[in-house]
Each structure stands twice: as C-alpha cells, then as structure tokens.
Amino acid sequence: MSFLIRLVFLLLKIPYRICESAYGALSSFFVSKKSVSDEIVLVTGAGHGIGRELTLQYAHLGATVVCLDINQQTNENVAEEATKATGRPVYAYRCDITDNAQVLEVAQQIRKEVGEVTVLINNAGIMNCRFFMDLTIDQIKSEFNVNILSHFWMVQAFLPDMIKNNHGHVVAISSIAGLVGFPNLTAYSATKSAIRGFMTALREELRITTEGKSLIKFTTIFPNIVDTGLCKKLRLTNPIVSLVPPEKAAAEIISAQRRDITERSIPSYWLPLINIVHATSKNMQEDVRDFIDCAVEPEN
C-alpha cells in the first residue's frame, strides 16, 4: 500500500514538475544576475582561450580571480593583463591539475595567500583528434587525466570549504561532444560525457546528505565548438553551426553561473534540441546528424 501511495503521489507531481521546469527555463533569462564582487573565483586553464576570457571578465565584475595553469608564463601574462585592466590584484599559480598532490599543495597556498575559493571553474581541457585505433595509450590517459580526473582532484580540494560555509559554486566545462559523441573524438567525447555524470551525482549526493539544505550550486556547460585552436581540421558545411568566439563563451558561462543555472549549452538552444532528438529513433538521430554535417577530421 505504501508503494501505491508513493506512486500515485509521484504521478500527481509529474504535471506540476513539468510546468515548473518550463517556467524555470523561461524565467531564467529574466532572473537578475547575482553579484560576484565578494567571491573568490578560481579558473583552471586560465592561460589561454576560454580561461583567459573568464579571468578578464570576472575581474571586470569585481571578483577576486585566481588563475591556475600548467604554463606559468601565459598564466602570469593573463593575470597581469587583468590586473592592469581592472586595477584589482589577480593571482596566478602554476599547477599541474592532473597531479593530486600538487592540487592539494596549491589549494593550501591559495587559502593562506588569497582566501577560501567560493567559485570553482573547472575549465582546462585537451583534445586529440584521431581515429580511435590510432590513439596511443598515453594520449587516452592524458585526456582522461586533464578532462575529467582533474575535476575530482579540484573539487576534493576546494569543496570542503564550501560545505563548511554552506556557500559556493562549482562550474564544469563539458562540451556538445559529451552529449552526442563525435567521430575522431572518442576519448574527448567520453571525458566530456563523464563530466555530466560527475556533476549530476555530486549535486544529488549533497542534496541527499544535507536533506536539501545545501546552498552550494552546480553548473555544467556544454559549449559548441569554441574558436580556441583545439580543433585543427574542423568541417562546417551547415550555416546553423558556427565557431563560438571565446569571449562569447566566457560571457555565457558567467551568466549561467550568476543565474544558478544547472545546465546550459552554448548556444543555449542546443541542449533542448539534443534532448528532443535523443528521444527519437536511432535512424532519426542519424538523419539529424547527417543534416547538420559537422565533423572534426583526424589530424595527421
């Protein structure tokens, strides 16, 4: 009887939740953006591309920005550029985020010198454009180390402070490739798909363990192909698909974070469209893929 009551209650809630979800999706565009002027924002892969733009734009918004990158020179250059542009100190730390020991060491250094990170943006990523059978063991391992395992090390290092203060935001940069899977990007697609699973499980774990009292937010971003130079041989034949400039991608990421949006694609219409197509038959999905005709050719 208990099961039947719970089932009836669930069925009654479904129409309400559907309407609630639709309302939330529409109203999110009109929700005022929360201030980040009191936040300490950490960006991985800050030395170039989206990471560089995130650093500059967050600094202009008044946030205290911490840059992490394995390339010390480019990382420091971006921090200096942001400092000169805003007059605010921007902090740069060299860190191999695939090395858990280094991450923990740098995290402790940041706490002492800057403060407790309140917004963590796991942005760093690499891409190998190869036929699956041409991928080397080292290439596969490096993509998983940078693109997904580093998320584990970074979150384990900085989430405890957020839990202690019941305040914080974790942002993960996935990819459209993590939603649909691209040929010649098997390892990349797998790692970006794993990000969604990681973020979903982490968000649900906090919800359950705190009985819904956690105020920590989680945002997963699925950009289309961003013009950062990762894709060396990109084929675009359909006008509905175009390269996203890094500055636009960064602005969309920051907007989603400031509005507490759980998942957002760039452009925003891709995520709902992909969800709809995934509900259709395999043949229909292939027809849509063939129509879009976007591909990354293997590198030599």
Side-chain angles (χ1 to χ4, degrees):
M1 181 63 70
S2 175
F3 171 77
L4 291 176
I5 292 174
R6 290 169 58 200
L7 177 60
V8 170
F9 186 62
L10 174 63
L11 293 175
L12 291 174
K13 287 175 69 175
I14 288 175
Y16 170 76
R17 292 303 188 192
I18 291 174
C19 294
E20 180 185 53
S21 178
Y23 173 78
L26 292 173
S27 63
S28 66
F29 293 98
F30 305 101
V31 172
S32 60
K33 300 176 184 178
K34 61 185 180 184
S35 173
V36 292
S37 60
D38 294 328
E39 308 290 355
I40 297 179
V41 180
L42 188 153
V43 181
T44 67
H48 66 285
I50 297 175
R52 173 183 177 274
E53 292 297 330
L54 286 168
T55 298
L56 293 170
Q57 293 184 35
Y58 268 116
H60 276 289
L61 289 169
T64 299
V65 184
V66 179
C67 304
L68 252 62
D69 203 292
I70 196 169
N71 189 318
Q72 183 173 355
Q73 188 59 58
T74 58
N75 199 40
E76 290 179 351
N77 289 345
V78 170
E80 290 174 7
E81 181 183 358
T83 297
K84 288 179 181 178
T86 63
R88 297 176 56 85
V90 174
Y91 302 87
Y93 294 86
R94 184 194 178 278
C95 182
D96 179 356
I97 57 174
T98 68
D99 185 332
N100 187 39
Q102 276 196 43
V103 169
L104 293 175
E105 182 179 346
V106 168
Q108 188 60 27
Q109 190 176 357
I110 292 169
R111 286 189 193 94
K112 291 180 179 179
E113 298 175 357
V114 186
E116 294 178 348
V117 169
T118 57
V119 179
L120 169 62
I121 303 184
N122 284 316
N123 162 72
I126 62 173
M127 174 191 292
N128 288 298
C129 306
R130 297 281 191 278
F131 288 121
F132 171 68
M133 295 305 298
D134 291 338
L135 284 169
T136 66
I137 292 175
D138 287 342
Q139 286 173 334
I140 295 170
K141 285 183 175 179
S142 65
E143 285 206 61
F144 275 83
N145 283 333
V146 175
N147 292 0
I148 180 61
L149 289 180
S150 69
H151 289 233
F152 283 75
W153 314 148
M154 294 296 294
V155 172
Q156 283 189 332
F158 293 100
L159 184 61
D161 289 334
M162 299 182 189
I163 292 174
K164 177 188 67 178
N165 300 316
N166 199 19
H167 173 77
H169 204 132
V170 179
V171 180
I173 311 304
S174 180
S175 169
I176 292 295
L179 297 175
V180 299
F182 275 81
N184 308 318
L185 294 178
T186 49
Y188 182 80
S189 296
T191 60
K192 293 300 185 178
S193 179
I195 289 174
R196 189 185 205 185
F198 170 62
M199 291 288 282
T200 301
L202 189 58
R203 184 178 69 249
E204 183 66 5
E205 185 174 297
L206 269 188
R207 184 184 74 85
I208 296 298
T209 56
T210 66
E211 298 180 343
K213 296 177 182 178
S214 174
L215 299 180
I216 299 167
K217 308 299 182 182
F218 296 89
T219 296
T220 307
I221 304 292
F222 305 93
N224 199 1
I225 303 167
V226 182
D227 191 12
T228 60
L230 281 181
C231 295
K232 301 296 189 299
K233 293 185 176 181
L234 178 64
R235 189 183 78 237
L236 296 177
T237 61
N238 196 311
I240 69 171
V241 182
S242 60
L243 285 172
V244 178
E247 57 272 19
K248 176 176 173 57
E252 292 286 342
I253 293 166
I254 294 172
S255 176
Q257 182 266 314
R258 295 179 65 194
R259 289 190 169 110
D260 293 334
I261 294 173
T262 303
E263 291 189 335
R264 169 62 59 84
S265 62
I266 304 174
S268 61
Y269 54 78
W270 278 116
L271 184 56
L273 285 177
I274 289 171
N275 288 337
I276 291 171
V277 172
H278 277 173
T280 66
S281 68
K282 178 181 72 69
N283 290 338
M284 183 63 192
Q285 294 177 41
E286 291 174 352
D287 289 340
V288 172
R289 281 177 174 270
D290 292 342
F291 168 75
I292 295 176
D293 194 25
C294 171
V296 177
E297 302 294 345
E299 298 174 11
N300 296 329

